[in-house]
Amino acid sequence: MREVVFDTETTGIQVSEGHRMVEIGCVELINRVETGREFHAYFNPERSMPPEAQAVHGLGDAFLAGQRLFRDVCEELLDFLEDSPLVAHNAAFDFAFLNFELGECGRLHVPRSRMVDTLALSRTKFPGAKHSLDAMCARFGVDRSHRIKHGALLDAQLLSQCYVELTGGRQIGLSLAEAPAAADAVKQDAIVYDITRTVRPARPHAASPEELERHARFLAQIADPVWTMGTAA
């Protein structure tokens, strides 16, 4: 099963207020295991960056002015996403910005049926707890010491580790497809630790004539044995 964990950085909170996406980071998972394939891009939002948003992710106008427009990266992104489920934290936020940018390029929106929201998963599994990405990293022992500011790719990498733990840990990634390899390992072990067994002939169990004679004399000493009852004519 292929999934893509992703995160975005934006100029603000609401698409309806004219805010735009400025960064996206994606991490590929196969059977809940990171493959090492990632997608990362910055975008020129064609508008100024509010100071409060820049304080969160550190992306300013001077840096973003030299980046490509979303429409220039759109096809590369869609090729990476394919038709896989998309995992995000507070996914409605990221989906809103992603779909807005896709719509501006004349592309279809990503349907909500593909959305996996780790915020909802965390609230269900740990009611009453804190559910920020930092809180989940602390809960699952994910190292976030290098997270000074928000960054889409870094946050997607951290979220992918938390998502694996939220959905049962890495054991869930094991599949029957690995059975042949396991069987080969067993065969190799059998060769290395092969034990040769020596087959011995069966021991004779029949009594000797002398033993039979002694047994008959012993039985003759028993008065009215039970095995003779009812045999008299």
Side-chain angles (χ1 to χ4, degrees), residues 158-226:
L158 295 174
L159 182 60
S160 69
Q161 297 179 61
C162 292
Y163 174 59
V164 169
E165 297 301 328
L166 270 174
T167 53
R170 294 200 178 275
Q171 185 67 26
I172 197 169
L174 300 178
S175 66
L176 294 178
E178 295 182 13
D184 291 341
V186 171
K187 289 179 182 177
Q188 291 176 0
D189 288 345
I191 293 173
V192 174
Y193 300 106
D194 186 26
I195 299 175
T196 302
R197 297 177 181 270
T198 302
V199 179
R200 296 184 237 174
R203 292 178 297 170
H205 293 285
S208 66
E210 292 80 8
E211 290 173 326
L212 291 173
E213 183 182 352
R214 288 200 300 272
H215 183 62
R217 289 200 302 267
F218 173 77
L219 294 179
Q221 299 174 21
I222 300 175
D224 299 323
V226 294

Side-chain angles (χ1 to χ4, degrees), residues 55-220:
V56 173
H57 47 58
L59 302 176
D61 294 333
F63 173 77
L64 294 172
Q67 304 304 318
R68 294 183 290 176
L69 303 177
F70 184 89
R71 69 176 71 95
D72 298 327
V73 189
C74 180
E75 297 304 319
E76 295 176 42
L77 175 60
L78 290 175
D79 287 344
F80 185 88
L81 297 180
E82 298 179 2
D83 59 353
S84 302
L86 303 182
V87 182
H89 199 62
N90 190 17
F93 173 88
D94 298 283
F95 265 65
F97 277 92
L98 175 60
N99 281 333
F100 174 81
E101 299 292 350
L102 290 173
E104 290 293 289
C105 298
R107 301 305 301 262
L108 296 176
H109 288 184
V110 178
R112 291 296 181 97
S113 59
R114 289 173 57 186
M115 184 175 75
V116 179
D117 187 0
T118 53
L119 177 59
L121 290 175
S122 182
R123 284 173 172 168
T124 299
K125 193 166 186 178
F126 303 100
K130 294 182 178 179
H131 304 290
S132 67
L133 181 57
D134 282 337
M136 289 202 306
C137 287
R139 182 179 302 123
F140 297 124
V142 175
D143 182 14
R144 67 185 192 285
S145 58
H146 48 310
R147 188 183 190 233
I148 308 303
K149 287 184 178 291
H150 289 223
L153 182 58
L154 174 59
D155 286 1
Q157 292 167 341
L158 295 174
L159 182 60
S160 69
Q161 297 179 61
C162 292
Y163 174 59
V164 169
E165 297 301 328
L166 270 174
T167 53
R170 294 200 178 275
Q171 185 67 26
I172 197 169
L174 300 178
S175 66
L176 294 178
E178 295 182 13
D184 291 341
V186 171
K187 289 179 182 177
Q188 291 176 0
D189 288 345
I191 293 173
V192 174
Y193 300 106
D194 186 26
I195 299 175
T196 302
R197 297 177 181 270
T198 302
V199 179
R200 296 184 237 174
R203 292 178 297 170
H205 293 285
S208 66
E210 292 80 8
E211 290 173 326
L212 291 173
E213 183 182 352
R214 288 200 300 272
H215 183 62
R217 289 200 302 267
F218 173 77
L219 294 179

Side-chain angles (χ1 to χ4, degrees), residues 11 48-56:
T11 63
S48 61
M49 177 66 69
E52 57 272 21
Q54 184 173 347
V56 173

